[in-house]
Amino acid sequence: MGMLEIKTERTTNKKNQPDVDKLGFGQFFTDHMFIMDYTEDKGWKDPRIIPYQPLSLDPAAKVFHYGQTVFEGLKAYFNVDKRVQLFRPDSNFKRLNASNERLCIPAIDEELALEALKKLIRVDCDWVPAAPGTSLYIRPFIIATDPCLGVAPSKNYQFIMIMSPVGSYYKEGMKPIKILVEQNYVRAVAGGTGAAKTGGNYAASLKGQEIASKDGYSQTLWLDGKEKRFVEEVGSMNVFFKINGTVVTPELNGSILPGITRDSIIQLLKSKNIPIEERRISIDEVVEAFHNGTLEEAFGTGTAAVISPIGELNWLGEKVILNNGEIGETAQMLYNHLTGIQNGSLEDPFNWTVTL
Amino acid sequence: MGMLEIKTERTTNKKNQPDVDKLGFGQFFTDHMFIMDYTEDKGWKDPRIIPYQPLSLDPAAKVFHYGQTVFEGLKAYFNVDKRVQLFRPDSNFKRLNASNERLCIPAIDEELALEALKKLIRVDCDWVPAAPGTSLYIRPFIIATDPCLGVAPSKNYQFIMIMSPVGSYYKEGMKPIKILVEQNYVRAVAGGTGAAKTGGNYAASLKGQEIASKDGYSQTLWLDGKEKRFVEEVGSMNVFFKINGTVVTPELNGSILPGITRDSIIQLLKSKNIPIEERRISIDEVVEAFHNGTLEEAFGTGTAAVISPIGELNWLGEKVILNNGEIGETAQMLYNHLTGIQNGSLEDPFNWTVTL
């Protein structure tokens, strides 16, 4: 059986596009969206591109009650040849299916999803912003739609993709962020859903974020749920430390999201022969390295910011200052190299980019 | 300032009511629903009863992506005087606000919520089923509606109440259930959202439930996320054990839902001078009590089933049989007493019931 046909219904009422300076993140959406339905008897069916529009759902739909939902985030860029390119989209759809498995959601056809995304971008190609640092953020997600309150996996789902032109994350240049190490609240634990990209992880993180913000910190550093000792993630990013010339990032332990930017950074470091270790790293080790002068840099990695250098970590009131609060050279070099591949100004020996 | 006025718009198209034998749980909904909006500048506003209808939400609404949602569950009963009564509704709205606090959702006016619920039940009073064991299940819930993909608390919400006539949980009489003790997956951990009634906890539990079902077990017994040693919940119920004449239930530790049925059972036991302890209880203690013959009973408690006796626990392949797989006398006595108070056939010295 071949791939399902993706139908397209074009809008007759195109939106006015926002000013590129006012884009921000995830606030404006393009003229169209992709949608596909799942029913128990027919499986995934009726993939279609339609005008961007509200979802009409029964108030008993399971997504409103039991959080049975997964999502992804990736970006499309205008490259130097004025063509649109995607960064590792196959990895995103593969991870979406890994999340589906954890959340008891039926797998999607990854190939069909990529074809649908390419088609959707072509329909809305005038929405891909061209200014330096801007991109088109893509949000694939799946929601459980059964209008039934029994606690059990849904029998009906919708897979949707929406797209948002986003501004440069570093409008006024890259700036190190201040991070509060969270002592009480926990984002995820081994055996939970931390390795899946599902709403509950983000819902759990809001309170820690609120506390950090009140104290003037921009994100939370999450420790493991078991011992509250080992570093897991920072905000909604993976985290890296450079200690005595070696880059260290927490190993994937079941409660950490397997970030695609994380993986790209690891591959980039290996290609440059910079020592990189994936292993457990305790907050004590980080603080000790600070005290003995071997803590050189720290940074977060994720699709939104790509690299987010950390200037300060607050642990139990002690301020751990990194690289005098300035951008580290490893962070800067990785940022330049990865964004260069993403926007097509640098060569891509990894075959990460997919040009439309 | 007085309470906001609750407006009512009645349906002109009443549904046919389902046969009482086919009710099941949470599958049919009444003719009306309650809805109230929250905006950052005006707070909670415009409380209204409207015909039951789909919700129309932007696909970027935060509830679809970041699981920022809370809910409650309670029941209304036709009592022996042919009047409708609620069971401890004030406790549900109080707990809804406790969940709101953990999920960074603005608190609701608990008094207004109860007034709105009474008014909604009056509008749909012909939907309260009268057959023995049946009731009207009420589902209050709040969803984050901001159409914006930044990971941050929403600035807009909807508080909704829907109602579903539900059948007798024990149509063919109470029957002990078989439970699989989960060794790998975790429902919640201290510092997480386990004590809040939020979608993510239920999403996390689906996988364990799926594994249990495949092995012929009807629910999962959840152990703590930290040591996978201490008993937390069973399925989506609290759990009690009777060991050597004393009833033991896990203490509220931050990862266990503070069940209203749980609290009612504890108060009932105290009033009957049956020893009841709220403390940590390990799965080893349960198995040891089984081996030395002091494990007398086990049962789950929750709004849906009230009491659910446990006939078997499977721990690492060992089958722990409780009370020869039959209903324990404590479980039966508590079930009779509590449902008697709920349907008004027994006296209510605790002032738990609210008659409309």
Side-chain angles (χ1 to χ4, degrees):
Chain A
M1 205 178 91
M3 202 182 272
L4 291 169
E5 189 199 349
I6 302 160
K7 296 208 174 112
T8 302
E9 179 202 338
R10 283 182 184 261
T11 184
T12 55
N13 190 12
K14 281 177 77 75
K15 302 175 191 174
N16 290 321
Q17 292 201 19
D19 195 80
V20 74
D21 288 336
K22 293 184 181 131
L23 288 178
F25 179 79
Q27 299 190 56
F28 300 97
F29 296 90
T30 67
D31 283 314
H32 298 83
M33 61 199 266
F34 171 81
I35 190 162
M36 178 159 68
D37 305 309
Y38 179 92
T39 59
E40 210 181 17
D41 54 336
K42 296 198 175 158
W44 286 110
K45 66 183 172 70
D46 200 12
R48 59 206 187 271
I49 289 164
I50 56 173
Y52 189 92
Q53 59 192 262
L55 303 175
S56 177
L57 291 169
D58 194 289
K62 280 189 201 285
V63 63
F64 297 131
H65 305 272
Y66 305 131
Q68 200 191 6
T69 176
V70 294
F71 71 92
E72 272 301 325
L74 68 161
K75 285 178 173 174
Y77 307 82
F78 244 124
N79 71 14
V80 286
D81 302 323
K82 307 286 175 212
R83 292 182 66 184
V84 176
Q85 65 183 34
L86 288 158
F87 183 71
R88 306 187 70 180
D90 48 326
S91 302
N92 288 93
F93 292 121
K94 195 176 163 194
R95 186 173 63 182
L96 188 63
N97 269 340
S99 299
N100 280 337
E101 161 70 19
R102 179 63 182 86
L103 274 295
C104 302
I105 297 174
I108 57 154
D109 178 341
E110 296 171 24
E111 226 177 299
L112 173 71
L114 182 52
E115 272 315 298
L117 175 55
K118 286 180 180 173
K119 200 163 178 175
L120 179 61
I121 294 172
R122 279 187 204 109
V123 170
D124 276 339
C125 60
D126 54 332
W127 281 88
V128 185
T134 63
S135 58
L136 186 71
Y137 181 82
I138 299 146
R139 170 56 58 93
F141 64 107
I142 300 177
I143 54 173
T145 56
D146 261 14
C148 172
L149 298 182
V151 180
S154 186
K155 290 169 181 167
N156 298 280
Y157 299 88
Q158 287 190 317
F159 170 39
I160 297 160
M161 290 193 271
I162 54 176
M163 308 196 296
S164 168
V166 300
S168 177
Y169 203 86
Y170 296 111
K171 248 194 230 172
E172 289 143 33
M174 208 194 245
K175 214 183 130 193
I177 52 172
K178 290 166 68 181
I179 301 292
L180 184 65
V181 185
E182 176 56 41
Q183 304 160 46
N184 301 307
Y185 291 105
V186 164
R187 177 193 159 272
V189 68
T193 55
K197 219 163 162 68
T198 183
N201 300 334
Y202 298 80
S205 79
L206 295 174
K207 193 77 189 172
Q209 178 66 42
E210 188 181 78
I211 291 166
S213 298
K214 270 183 195 155
D215 286 351
Y217 290 84
S218 62
Q219 302 270 4
T220 301
L221 185 82
W222 297 104
L223 302 181
D224 76 287
K226 217 170 154 180
E227 301 185 49
K228 293 201 184 108
R229 204 179 133 206
F230 296 101
V231 172
E232 298 232 310
E233 295 191 16
V234 61
S236 48
M237 295 182 283
N238 292 115
V239 63
F240 288 74
F241 298 91
K242 194 175 179 198
I243 300 175
N244 206 16
T246 295
V247 181
V248 182
T249 190
E251 66 191 343
L252 300 179
N253 60 358
S255 56
I256 293 173
L257 188 80
I260 292 160
T261 310
R262 173 187 181 279
D263 181 72
S264 308
I265 290 296
I266 291 170
Q267 291 194 49
L268 263 186
L269 287 165
K270 285 182 179 166
S271 75
K272 291 171 189 289
N273 293 316
I274 297 172
I276 162 75
E277 294 176 1
E278 295 179 70
R279 62 168 171 83
R280 293 215 296 188
I281 177 164
S282 69
I283 187 69
D284 304 319
E285 179 182 344
V286 173
V287 174
E288 199 188 304
F290 170 61
H291 287 158
N292 68 27
T294 56
L295 183 62
E296 296 162 13
E297 292 186 39
F299 53 89
T301 66
T303 295
V306 186
I307 299 274
S308 192
I310 298 171
E312 178 187 323
L313 283 175
N314 183 317
W315 171 232
L316 301 171
E318 180 175 16
K319 291 181 179 182
V320 174
I321 308 295
L322 290 123
N323 196 39
N324 300 316
E326 285 160 27
I327 304 167
E329 61 177 27
T330 310
Q332 185 70 60
M333 176 275 289
L334 290 166
Y335 178 80
N336 294 347
H337 200 148
L338 198 53
T339 55
I341 293 174
Q342 287 171 339
N343 66 33
S345 63
L346 291 179
E347 225 187 307
D348 173 21
F350 305 96
N351 278 316
W352 283 335
T353 52
V354 173
T355 307
L356 262 74
Chain B
M1 204 178 93
M3 202 182 273
L4 291 169
E5 189 198 350
I6 301 161
K7 295 209 174 110
T8 302
E9 179 201 338
R10 282 182 185 262
T11 183
T12 54
N13 190 12
K14 280 176 78 74
K15 303 175 191 173
N16 290 322
Q17 293 202 18
D19 195 78
V20 74
D21 288 337
K22 293 185 180 131
L23 289 178
F25 179 79
Q27 299 190 54
F28 300 97
F29 296 90
T30 67
D31 283 314
H32 297 84
M33 61 198 264
F34 171 80
I35 190 162
M36 178 160 68
D37 306 307
Y38 179 91
T39 59
E40 210 180 18
D41 54 336
K42 295 198 176 158
W44 288 109
K45 65 184 174 70
D46 200 13
R48 60 205 185 272
I49 289 165
I50 57 173
Y52 189 92
Q53 60 192 261
L55 303 175
S56 177
L57 291 168
D58 193 289
K62 280 188 201 285
V63 63
F64 296 130
H65 306 271
Y66 305 132
Q68 200 191 5
T69 175
V70 294
F71 71 93
E72 273 301 326
L74 68 161
K75 283 177 173 175
Y77 308 81
F78 243 123
N79 71 14
V80 286
D81 303 323
K82 308 284 176 211
R83 292 181 65 185
V84 177
Q85 65 184 34
L86 288 158
F87 183 71
R88 305 188 71 180
D90 48 326
S91 301
N92 288 93
F93 292 121
K94 196 177 162 192
R95 186 173 62 183
L96 188 62
N97 269 340
S99 299
N100 280 337
E101 161 70 20
R102 178 63 181 86
L103 274 296
C104 301
I105 296 174
I108 57 153
D109 178 340
E110 296 171 24
E111 226 177 298
L112 172 70
L114 182 52
E115 273 315 300
L117 175 56
K118 287 179 180 174
K119 199 162 178 174
L120 178 62
I121 294 172
R122 279 189 204 107
V123 169
D124 276 340
C125 61
D126 54 330
W127 280 87
V128 184
T134 63
S135 58
L136 186 70
Y137 181 81
I138 299 146
R139 170 56 57 92
F141 65 107
I142 300 177
I143 54 173
T145 57
D146 262 13
C148 171
L149 297 181
V151 180
S154 186
K155 289 170 182 168
N156 298 280
Y157 299 88
Q158 287 190 317
F159 170 40
I160 297 160
M161 289 193 271
I162 55 177
M163 307 196 298
S164 168
V166 299
S168 176
Y169 202 87
Y170 296 111
K171 247 196 230 171
E172 290 143 34
M174 208 194 245
K175 215 182 130 193
I177 53 172
K178 289 167 69 183
I179 301 292
L180 184 64
V181 185
E182 176 56 43
Q183 304 160 47
N184 300 308
Y185 291 104
V186 165
R187 178 193 158 270
V189 68
T193 55
K197 219 163 162 67
T198 182
N201 300 334
Y202 298 80
S205 79
L206 296 174
K207 192 78 189 171
Q209 177 66 42
E210 188 181 78
I211 292 166
S213 298
K214 270 183 195 155
D215 287 351
Y217 290 85
S218 62
Q219 302 271 4
T220 301
L221 185 81
W222 297 104
L223 302 181
D224 76 286
K226 216 171 153 180
E227 301 185 49
K228 294 204 183 105
R229 205 179 133 208
F230 296 100
V231 172
E232 298 232 310
E233 296 191 14
V234 61
S236 48
M237 295 182 283
N238 292 115
V239 64
F240 290 73
F241 298 91
K242 193 175 179 197
I243 300 174
N244 206 16
T246 295
V247 181
V248 182
T249 191
E251 65 191 344
L252 300 179
N253 61 356
S255 56
I256 293 173
L257 188 80
I260 292 161
T261 310
R262 175 188 181 278
D263 181 73
S264 307
I265 290 296
I266 291 171
Q267 291 194 49
L268 263 185
L269 287 165
K270 285 182 180 167
S271 75
K272 291 171 188 292
N273 293 315
I274 297 171
I276 163 75
E277 293 175 2
E278 294 178 71
R279 62 169 171 83
R280 294 214 296 188
I281 176 164
S282 69
I283 187 67
D284 304 319
E285 179 181 345
V286 172
V287 175
E288 199 189 305
F290 170 61
H291 287 158
N292 68 28
T294 55
L295 183 62
E296 298 163 12
E297 292 186 41
F299 53 89
T301 66
T303 294
V306 185
I307 299 274
S308 192
I310 298 171
E312 177 187 326
L313 283 175
N314 183 318
W315 171 232
L316 301 170
E318 180 176 15
K319 290 182 178 182
V320 174
I321 307 295
L322 290 123
N323 196 40
N324 300 314
E326 285 161 26
I327 304 168
E329 61 176 28
T330 310
Q332 185 69 60
M333 177 275 290
L334 290 167
Y335 178 80
N336 294 347
H337 200 147
L338 198 54
T339 55
I341 293 174
Q342 287 170 340
N343 66 32
S345 64
L346 291 179
E347 226 187 307
D348 173 19
F350 305 96
N351 278 316
W352 283 336
T353 52
V354 174
T355 308
L356 262 73

